């Protein structure tokens, strides 16, 4: 462990993050919304801390181990959430509410404690969307593209930040090029999404704001009614398309755009599984609506939108789902547990893990029926060894245990089972909206509950192991 190297790198990242406050400052000047001093004070305070850290650690040789990478990732997301909460706190929110809103934004969860979003200054609204956009791909990855220019290696951090298939195969030989490729795709999707939103009828401010939270699969909106505020099928269609694109693995986008191999989309087994899950959940929801005599043309459209929104763990809404049968709401929440594809900006367990668990369970059943048969686990054309399957089941076990512990902690606060279960599921899977008292926002729950859910957001964003690893005594043993 090299504390001075960690502090030096930390200071660079915090200073880098402080530049994000320039954008809401510009928005505040354009709209004259009265929040200019909030972001100027925050910019000065956060950037000063970054500069102070650099001065204290100048001439330090950056020699980072993988253990240092784990510490930097976890601590940076915490510090980032604290720094991100300052504008909310200066605007009049409580400390815990500010931290909750910031953590929800930077982890792309989309859960909010603000009961009336429409009255917020434009700069603060834009800032909420910007937090999600930066958190979508991960500020660490963006910083890695800059670090080589500063003479700082980022390989150890990259390994801990990118989960799933993205972590197993670098798309380009150099990490800097990989990060730049990721962000060029991410930025491109955001620009195209904003243009299509604008063409479909959104104002320029709403189009840019919503494109950031859509591509980040965040779910924050500039209106209380979310996407439903616009009452436009074309806007809803654009939203669905880009939620899906962002839920696909960015590895596939890279091969399609940079390597001219668009057929990767067709042959990727995880993508087929993911789209199959969406279709299955949509079909089951329609069947439930038919049985409940609630099926209309509008309800089909609403169910389709909410299915995509929930399974991709975005959390946008276009109607009040409380009028639906509870079984549909619960079904959509289950879809969020499965989550998006690996290497995407979405949350959840991830489709590739669920795929491996299902196939592994099926093979074990086959071995019971036919003990002498020789079968191997394959995902598409790739073989998956027992060690990988065991690792996935280990992750799932830790996930379930973590969920149960968090659920118990929420029930202790006095929250009812429906609200507690959905709140933990929504925050652990970085989804946002829940059921019961947290179906609209999280303002009514206690400060204790907000603290628990903020921890759940971070746990989900770092895919559990990264955070839990540093909480074990073995990690800190020499």
């Amino acid at each position: 462990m090299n504390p001075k190297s960690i502090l030096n790198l930390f200071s660079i990242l915090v200073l880098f993050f402080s530049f994000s406050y320039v954008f809401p400052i510009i928005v505040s000047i354009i709209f004259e919304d009265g929040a200019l001093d909030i972001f100027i004070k925050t910019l000065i305070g956060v950037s000063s801390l970054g500069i102070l850290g650099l001065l204290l650690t100048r001439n330090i040789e950056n020699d980072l181990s993988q253990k240092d990478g784990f510490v930097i990732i976890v601590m940076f997301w915490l510090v980032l959430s604290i720094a991100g909460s300052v504008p909310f706190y200066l605007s009049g929110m409580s400390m815990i509410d500010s931290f909750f809103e910031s953590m929800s934004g930077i982890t792309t969860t989309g859960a909010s404690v603000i009961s009336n979003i429409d009255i917020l200054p434009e700069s603060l609204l834009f800032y909420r969307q910007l937090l999600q956009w930066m958190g979508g791909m991960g500020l660490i990855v963006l910083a890695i593209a800059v670090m080589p220019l500063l003479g700082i290696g980022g390989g150890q951090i990259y390994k801990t930040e990118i989960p799933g298939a993205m972590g197993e195969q670098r798309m380009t030989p150099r990490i800097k090029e990989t990060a730049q490729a990721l962000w060029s795709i991410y930025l491109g999707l955001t620009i195209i999404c904003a243009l299509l939103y604008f063409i479909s009828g959104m104002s320029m401010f709403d189009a840019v704001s919503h494109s950031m939270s859509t591509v980040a699969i965040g779910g924050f909106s500039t209106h209380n009614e979310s996407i439903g505020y616009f009452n436009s099928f074309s806007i809803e269609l654009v939203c669905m398309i880009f939620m899906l694109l962002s839920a696909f693995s960015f590895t596939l986008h890279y091969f399609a755009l940079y390597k001219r191999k668009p057929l990767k989309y067709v042959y990727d087994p995880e993508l087929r599984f993911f789209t199959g899950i969406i279709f299955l959940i949509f079909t089951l929801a329609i069947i439930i609506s038919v049985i409940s005599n609630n099926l209309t043309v509008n309800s089909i459209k609403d169910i389709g939108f909410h299915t995509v929104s929930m399974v991709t763990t975005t959390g946008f809404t276009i109607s009040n789902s409380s009028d639906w049968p509870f079984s549909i709401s619960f079904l959509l929440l289950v879809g969020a547990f499965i989550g998006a594809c690996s290497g995407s900006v979405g949350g959840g367990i991830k489709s590739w893990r669920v795929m491996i668990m299902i196939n592994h369970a099926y093979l074990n059943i086959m071995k019971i029926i036919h003990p002498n048969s020789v079968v191997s686990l394959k995902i598409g054309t790739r073989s998956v060894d027992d060690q990988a399957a065991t690792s996935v089941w280990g992750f799932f076990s830790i996930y379930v245990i973590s969920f149960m512990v968090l659920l118990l902690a929420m029930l202790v606060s006095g929250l009812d089972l429906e609200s507690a279960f959905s709140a933990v599921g929504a925050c652990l899977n970085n989804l946002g909206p829940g059921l019961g008292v947290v179906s609209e926002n999280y303002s009514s729950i206690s400060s204790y509950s907000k603290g628990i859910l903020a921890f759940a957001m971070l746990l989900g964003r770092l895919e559990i192991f990264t955070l839990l690893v540093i909480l074990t005594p073995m990690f800190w043993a020499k």
Side-chain angles (χ1 to χ4, degrees):
M1 192 76 71
N2 193 336
K4 288 188 176 180
S5 293
I6 292 175
L7 178 59
N8 180 264
L9 179 55
F10 225 78
S11 301
I12 294 173
L13 296 174
V14 169
L15 185 61
F16 184 78
F17 174 71
S18 69
F19 291 125
S20 65
Y21 298 115
V22 172
F23 298 102
I25 287 175
I26 295 172
V27 172
S28 183
I29 292 172
I30 293 173
F31 287 93
E32 299 179 350
D33 59 7
L36 182 61
D37 61 324
I38 291 176
F39 292 101
I40 290 178
K41 290 177 182 177
T42 307
L43 173 61
I44 294 172
V46 175
S47 60
S48 297
L49 288 175
I51 293 171
L52 178 61
L54 284 177
L55 291 175
L56 293 174
T57 57
R58 61 182 180 275
N59 301 323
I60 293 294
E61 298 240 349
N62 288 281
D63 184 19
L64 299 174
S65 64
Q66 186 174 354
K67 183 180 288 189
D68 294 332
F70 278 103
V71 173
I72 290 171
I73 292 296
V74 175
M75 294 305 297
F76 184 71
W77 281 96
L78 282 173
V79 172
L80 192 64
S81 298
I82 294 171
S85 69
V86 175
F88 297 118
Y89 181 73
L90 294 179
S91 69
M93 293 172 63
S94 68
M95 190 173 295
I96 184 63
D97 282 354
S98 301
F99 179 73
F100 183 95
E101 195 76 14
S102 178
M103 179 66 81
S104 178
I106 206 67
T107 58
T108 71
T109 303
S112 180
V113 293
I114 302 173
S115 56
N116 192 356
I117 297 170
D118 287 293
I119 64 172
L120 294 179
E122 284 82 359
S123 56
L124 201 59
L125 287 172
F126 184 83
Y127 175 67
R128 293 172 75 242
Q129 310 298 108
L130 184 62
L131 277 178
Q132 292 203 321
W133 190 77
M134 292 187 296
M137 183 60 70
L139 262 176
I140 303 297
V141 178
L142 180 58
I144 288 169
V146 178
M147 278 187 233
L149 302 178
L150 303 173
I152 302 170
Q156 295 85 355
I157 298 177
Y158 178 87
K159 189 184 293 185
T160 61
E161 174 66 8
I162 302 297
M166 193 78 80
E168 296 168 4
Q169 54 178 0
R170 294 178 185 171
M171 297 176 294
T172 58
R174 299 178 60 188
I175 296 172
K176 173 187 171 183
E177 295 173 4
T178 299
Q180 288 175 337
L182 290 173
W183 271 97
S184 62
I185 296 170
Y186 191 64
L187 179 61
L189 285 174
T190 306
I191 293 172
I192 297 171
C193 182
L195 288 174
L196 291 177
Y197 272 146
F198 181 70
I199 293 171
S200 299
M202 281 190 182
S203 67
M204 181 59 73
F205 175 77
D206 280 336
V208 173
S209 298
H210 283 87
S211 68
M212 290 192 291
S213 58
T214 303
V215 173
I217 307 189
F220 272 166
S221 177
T222 56
H223 300 284
N224 293 328
E225 294 86 1
S226 189
I227 298 297
Y229 170 85
F230 302 99
N231 193 26
S232 167
F233 177 72
S234 60
I235 288 176
E236 292 164 11
L237 185 61
V238 170
C239 186
M240 290 174 66
I241 291 171
F242 280 88
M243 284 191 292
L244 287 170
L245 287 174
S246 296
F248 296 167
S249 172
F250 273 63
T251 303
L252 296 179
H253 296 324
Y254 173 81
F255 278 110
L257 296 173
Y258 285 83
K259 299 295 185 181
R260 302 291 189 272
K261 295 180 179 179
L263 290 179
K264 284 278 186 179
Y265 291 116
V266 178
Y267 295 119
D268 184 69
E270 184 187 20
L271 181 55
R272 293 202 301 268
F273 178 80
F274 172 69
T275 52
I277 288 295
I278 291 178
F279 180 75
L280 175 62
I281 290 176
F282 172 73
T283 303
L284 291 175
I286 293 296
I287 292 173
I288 293 171
S289 294
V290 171
I291 295 173
S292 305
N293 295 319
N294 287 327
L295 189 65
T296 63
V297 174
N298 279 335
S299 66
I300 294 174
K301 176 177 69 71
D302 291 353
I303 289 173
F305 182 91
H306 284 89
T307 299
V308 173
S309 180
M310 294 300 176
V311 178
T312 60
T313 70
T314 310
F316 280 133
T317 59
I318 59 173
S319 62
N320 188 359
S321 59
S322 62
D323 298 331
W324 298 352
F326 175 77
S327 53
I328 293 181
S329 298
F330 185 78
L331 176 65
L332 297 182
L333 183 61
V334 170
F337 278 82
I338 297 173
C341 298
S342 61
S344 72
V345 292
I349 295 173
K350 295 291 190 300
S351 293
W352 72 279
R353 290 195 181 101
V354 177
M355 227 180 11
I356 288 176
M357 287 190 293
I358 292 174
N359 280 277
H360 191 253
Y362 173 76
L363 286 183
N364 277 279
I365 292 173
M366 288 293 295
K367 286 180 180 179
I368 293 173
I369 299 173
H370 304 287
N372 297 322
S373 63
V374 179
V375 290
S376 60
L377 177 57
K378 280 192 173 184
I379 302 297
T381 57
R382 294 178 59 185
S383 296
V384 179
D385 57 34
D386 286 337
Q387 185 178 356
T390 301
S391 177
V392 169
W393 279 108
F395 171 87
F396 183 70
S397 301
I398 297 296
Y399 177 92
V400 172
I401 293 171
S402 299
F403 181 88
M404 297 305 294
V405 171
L406 290 169
L407 176 60
L408 179 61
M410 290 295 292
L411 291 173
V412 168
S413 69
L415 207 61
D416 63 277
L417 180 60
E418 176 188 338
S419 300
F421 183 93
S422 64
V424 173
C427 291
L428 187 60
N429 295 308
N430 303 129
L431 167 64
L435 305 174
V437 300
V438 295
S439 59
E440 294 185 5
N441 58 69
Y442 290 70
S443 60
S444 61
I445 63 176
S446 65
S447 297
Y448 161 81
S449 298
K450 291 170 186 173
I452 295 296
L453 293 178
F455 176 78
M457 294 177 201
L458 183 61
L459 196 63
R461 182 65 180 88
L462 297 179
E463 301 220 345
I464 298 181
F465 276 132
T466 305
L467 179 56
L468 293 185
V469 159
I470 73 165
L471 298 179
T472 60
M474 187 183 302
F475 178 82
W476 299 101
K478 292 183 178 180

